[in-house]
Amino acid sequence: MSERDVVSREPGRAFMMANEAMVRGALEADVKLYAGYPGSPTSEILDTFASVAKEMDMVAEISANEKVALETAAGAAMAGLRSMTSMKSVGMNVASDSFFSLSYTGVKGGMVIVMADDPHAHSSQSEQDGRFFAPAAYVPMLEPSDPQEAKEMVREAFALSEKFAVPFLIRTVTRVNHQSGIVELDELKRTPFKKVSWPHGPARFVTVADRARAFKQNMLRRTEEVRKEFEASGLNSVWVGLGRGETGVDAGVQEAGEARGTGVLASSAGFNYAAEACRILGLSIPILKLGTTFPLPWGLLSSFIRPLKRLVVVEELAPYLENSVRALAKEANPSLEIIGKASGHFSEALELNPNIVASALARVLGLKTPVDYEAVLARAERLKEGLPSRPPTFCPGCPHRGTIYALRKALRGMKHVQPTDIGCYSMAPLAPLNYGDTLLSMGASLGVAEGLQHSVEEPVVAMIGDSTFLHAGLPGLVNAVHQRANFKLVILDNSVTAMTGQQHNPASPHEEGEEGEQRVDLEALVRGIGVRDVTVIDPYDIKNTPGKIKEALARPGLGVIISRRECALYGDRNKRRKGVAITPNEVDKKLCKRIYACVRDFNCPAISLDADGQAAISRELCDGCMMCARLCPIGAIRPVGSGGDTRGGPGGGAGREKLVEGGAREERTEAPEPRGGGG
């Protein structure tokens, strides 16, 4: 995809990711405001809006969290402008307080909320099925299955949102968000951004007392009107054979015997898996593809299931469609056999794929799959037995590695409890670091630490990133100050929201040409709410940081340690933009005594053992951060091309430090220095 395709004024065709196609659909619908918080698998929506907003004469904001983003979009829609927000399903948990009330009040301008689930928990702390937010809040929901539909449904959602005066939910899953394909582009007709006068009387959007009760009645009537709209919607379709609208049966397909009287109900990625499974089996059976999944079109569903003997429901996560159609079948077709999760053919855990669906269909219909998938998986498991474990880990140069090393060194011999949070550092509890005791949700480390400091004998040291702290951690620290809590909080300030793609947060530095934003000073913020004990450290300063942490931990009461060094990937990107060279390190084989401190204590993926059993650094991976060089007790690591003898006094003392410092000088003059002083 080219960004030019997203903003192309002319109709045409383009290869796009579904996330980008949804932005295109919103632009074609003349959206005026977007606000969001990054979270995989929706981050590309935010990134694309941020890139094209100025050219498209619209407002695009990266908000502090999903609740603020939804409320920002709601404000614009209440005024009458078209607005959009996007978030992953766990973000909807944060936004849901306002989401439920917004359904009561409704909107004036069209408003679209994109919410993505993450089956298999690829980048989430849990698998959640966000579809249940729609019926719980009485908010209409659409589910695309490919990039073209994603674009079309966003456009349609804006129109329907204004028609029924309610925000519309576009629910996706990872395999839809990150799916790419050819998208038909319509003409892009943008109108200038223009503020409007507040068009409503007092209390139009106030939901309390008798107004709340009136809103509820209106919400129920509205839901039935939307249901009638969905009954005839082109967003739902029946597929027979291998294509939409086909009614015949292709030659050679398996249609005899058990297949007769069988139909499939699917939506989202489930439809793609079902269609592919039918192709694998050469099977021609009708598939009802639902694009409108709340309110469900009961008439359409009844018509589809009435003549069937058997219905196979293909959906990921919870049996949302299955349970609904089971209730409907009691009246529409009581003898219908329903195959799904309750029958044991599909699991509520993890993702589906075409092989899983094909195997289930074959089992139900007494067919043979062309490949023995279970045998293939068993063989793959046997082949994996000889492979080394490759757990997720921090990038080379990541400052979090230095912070955790320093924390461990400062706390050596001292039992402690370590609540952690959501971000790159959520990998710390995994092998080989194995550091961290609890992880619940965004900002939860503060609340958990508050409970632990009342409950455990060990000292409590919580950990949270800068973006997560500003997202949902701040109220926990306010509470800790108010309660005179006794624990330490380490804020990992790496300048950006790194895990989701280095998006800016309120504490990020300004970039060239950036205007209109004010940077939040984390140190001033925590001092301003009453934290008296604040320490700022540099995780790259491996020699001195453990001592500073140890001193901070020894002081009683609540304390905050800000570990400040920018994300390595973000820093490298800025260096490349400025033409600054990134100098990797190398191991001096003559000096290396196989102490393995760099391998054993640091776990940097750029360091491995060579055929001689000596440490070796990959020039392609090394970030040149120099943390491993400072860690080596005999000074055997140095920048490539620096040359010279790195040995100093006994144990590689002063001479080593001098050379290491010298070798790092060029890099450190370009890299941002720690902001603020020590506490």
Side-chain angles (χ1 to χ4, degrees):
M1 193 277 306
S2 161
E3 189 176 295
R4 302 314 308 165
D5 292 327
V6 176
V7 297
S8 170
R9 302 276 178 172
E10 303 300 323
R13 306 177 79 202
F15 187 73
M16 287 183 174
M17 183 188 289
N19 279 342
E20 296 154 347
M22 284 189 275
V23 176
R24 172 71 188 196
L27 293 175
E28 289 183 3
D30 206 21
V31 66
K32 293 303 181 192
L33 181 143
Y34 167 84
Y37 181 81
S40 182
T42 63
S43 295
E44 293 84 1
I45 298 175
L46 182 152
D47 293 338
T48 307
F49 267 121
S51 296
V52 305
K54 282 187 179 178
E55 186 176 353
M56 292 290 100
D57 194 17
M58 62 172 289
V59 175
E61 284 189 3
I62 302 177
S63 304
N65 64 29
E66 294 85 355
K67 183 171 181 287
V68 174
L70 183 139
E71 290 157 353
T72 302
M78 288 171 174
L81 300 183
R82 287 190 167 185
S83 67
M84 181 169 167
T85 183
S86 60
M87 60 198 70
K88 61 191 300 182
S89 55
V90 291
M92 179 56 89
N93 297 338
V94 178
S96 61
D97 197 5
S98 293
F99 175 72
F100 278 79
S101 293
L102 184 62
S103 178
Y104 269 56
T105 65
V107 291
K108 183 174 187 294
M111 180 175 171
V112 173
I113 303 165
V114 178
M115 175 196 65
D117 286 329
D118 187 19
H120 205 92
H122 291 286
S123 56
S124 307
Q125 64 270 40
S126 60
E127 286 186 324
Q128 295 185 14
D129 197 324
R131 289 178 294 179
F132 293 95
F133 275 109
Y138 296 89
V139 171
M141 174 169 62
L142 308 180
E143 291 192 70
S145 61
D146 59 40
Q148 181 69 48
E149 277 194 345
K151 193 208 83 162
E152 298 301 333
M153 283 192 179
V154 166
R155 279 191 62 163
E156 183 78 5
F158 274 110
L160 292 172
S161 172
E162 286 183 354
K163 180 176 180 178
F164 295 102
V166 60
F168 261 59
L169 198 59
I170 302 283
R171 186 261 186 176
T172 56
V173 295
T174 303
R175 299 298 181 186
V176 171
N177 290 89
H178 290 166
Q179 182 187 152
S180 296
I182 299 294
V183 177
E184 299 284 345
L185 308 180
D186 294 301
E187 185 179 359
L188 195 60
K189 297 178 181 177
R190 300 288 298 169
T191 60
F193 184 93
K194 186 179 179 183
K195 288 188 176 181
V196 295
S197 295
W198 182 248
H200 314 291
R204 161 65 181 85
F205 293 101
V206 176
T207 172
V208 290
D210 63 330
R211 294 192 60 79
R213 293 185 278 275
F215 277 138
K216 178 66 181 285
Q217 294 298 330
N218 178 62
M219 194 164 63
L220 295 174
R221 284 193 294 272
R222 180 189 68 206
T223 300
E224 287 311 304
E225 291 171 6
V226 175
R227 192 190 307 280
K228 292 175 185 173
E229 176 88 14
F230 284 175
E231 291 288 0
S233 173
L235 302 176
N236 304 314
S237 55
V238 177
W239 294 63
V240 181
L242 303 180
R244 182 175 183 169
E246 294 180 16
T247 55
V249 177
D250 291 348
V253 298
Q254 302 182 54
E255 58 157 347
E258 290 296 317
R260 288 179 181 159
T262 299
V264 174
L265 173 63
S267 65
S268 187
F271 168 74
N272 301 333
Y273 301 142
E276 180 65 9
C278 286
R279 190 194 65 79
I280 290 171
L281 296 173
L283 188 62
S284 181
I285 55 178
I287 304 174
L288 174 55
K289 177 178 185 293
L290 278 186
T292 66
T293 47
F294 182 80
L296 286 168
W298 293 123
L300 175 64
L301 276 167
S302 296
S303 299
F304 183 73
I305 67 172
R306 195 167 287 122
L308 297 178
K309 295 178 181 176
R310 181 188 297 112
L311 180 72
V312 181
V313 184
V314 182
E315 61 181 331
E316 293 176 311
L317 301 175
Y320 172 82
L321 294 176
E322 181 180 329
N323 287 344
S324 298
V325 81
R326 194 178 297 281
L328 177 67
K330 194 170 183 180
E331 294 185 0
N333 186 353
S335 62
L336 181 69
E337 180 187 5
I338 297 177
I339 305 297
K341 300 177 191 301
S343 66
H345 289 82
F346 299 112
S347 171
E348 287 191 43
L350 309 181
E351 287 181 308
L352 298 179
N353 62 40
N355 298 348
I356 292 173
V357 177
S359 298
L361 278 173
R363 181 178 154 201
V364 169
L365 301 175
L367 303 173
K368 281 189 176 181
T369 56
V371 176
D372 185 347
Y373 297 119
E374 290 187 4
V376 171
L377 288 174
R379 183 167 181 267
E381 289 299 321
R382 288 197 301 274
L383 292 173
K384 283 166 57 179
E385 289 175 1
L387 297 176
S389 174
R390 296 182 185 276
T393 187
F394 300 138
C395 304
C398 177
H400 298 343
R401 182 178 289 105
T403 304
I404 291 171
Y405 171 82
L407 273 170
R408 279 190 148 155
K409 194 167 183 181
L411 287 158
R412 186 167 294 164
M414 182 190 302
K415 288 185 177 180
H416 63 286
V417 185
Q418 210 272 316
T420 187
D421 223 294
I422 307 297
C424 296
Y425 48 96
S426 61
M427 293 185 289
L430 306 176
L433 292 175
N434 299 314
Y435 190 65
D437 295 298
T438 72
L439 193 159
L440 286 181
S441 61
M442 294 284 280
S445 61
L446 273 297
V448 172
E450 174 72 18
L452 287 171
Q453 56 103 24
H454 286 301
S455 312
V456 300
E457 296 175 345
E458 295 85 357
V460 177
V461 183
M463 191 160 68
I464 193 170
D466 51 342
S467 183
T468 309
F469 173 66
L470 294 169
H471 174 284
L474 189 53
L477 187 59
V478 170
N479 180 69
V481 170
H482 177 65
Q483 301 294 340
R484 296 186 183 277
N486 181 21
F487 66 85
K488 306 301 177 191
L489 172 67
V490 180
I491 300 178
L492 302 157
D493 179 9
N494 64 0
S495 299
V496 289
T497 311
M499 196 173 206
T500 53
Q502 303 160 25
Q503 293 88 0
H504 273 196
N505 64 59
S508 297
H510 297 298
E511 293 194 348
E512 252 178 71
E514 202 171 56
E515 297 175 354
E517 295 179 349
Q518 179 171 330
R519 182 183 186 183
V520 172
D521 184 330
L522 285 179
E523 187 181 353
L525 176 64
V526 297
R527 288 188 188 280
I529 61 174
V531 179
R532 296 173 181 171
D533 186 355
V534 181
T535 304
V536 180
I537 61 171
D538 177 5
Y540 278 13
D541 186 5
I542 290 290
K543 181 180 178 183
N544 299 310
T545 295
K548 290 183 179 179
I549 292 178
K550 201 167 185 175
E551 291 173 9
L553 295 175
R555 293 191 286 269
L558 180 67
V560 170
I561 300 168
I562 301 175
S563 183
R564 182 168 289 154
R565 176 65 71 163
E566 68 183 4
C567 163
L569 296 181
Y570 176 72
D572 289 349
R573 189 184 70 180
N574 287 336
K575 285 178 185 175
R576 292 189 187 98
R577 283 176 175 173
K578 297 173 183 175
V580 177
I582 298 171
T583 307
N585 290 334
E586 63 181 357
V587 177
D588 187 324
K589 300 292 184 181
K590 294 179 181 176
L591 291 181
C592 179
K593 303 298 182 187
R594 293 178 172 81
I595 297 171
Y596 300 133
C598 56
V599 176
R600 184 188 59 242
D601 297 338
F602 215 51
N603 306 118
C604 177
I607 306 176
S608 60
L609 297 182
D610 61 17
D612 297 329
Q614 279 189 306
I617 298 176
S618 165
R619 294 189 181 190
E620 289 74 25
L621 293 178
C622 181
D623 180 74
C625 68
M626 298 300 292
M627 281 192 283
C628 60
R630 294 184 176 93
L631 188 68
C632 179
I634 57 173
I637 298 175
R638 63 192 181 191
V640 169
S642 62
D645 187 351
T646 60
R647 286 170 296 186
R656 172 183 63 83
E657 286 299 333
K658 185 177 180 181
L659 183 65
V660 167
E661 292 293 328
R665 189 170 300 124
E666 182 182 1
E667 292 296 306
R668 292 214 310 273
T669 53
E670 298 299 334
E673 290 300 320
R675 306 185 293 269

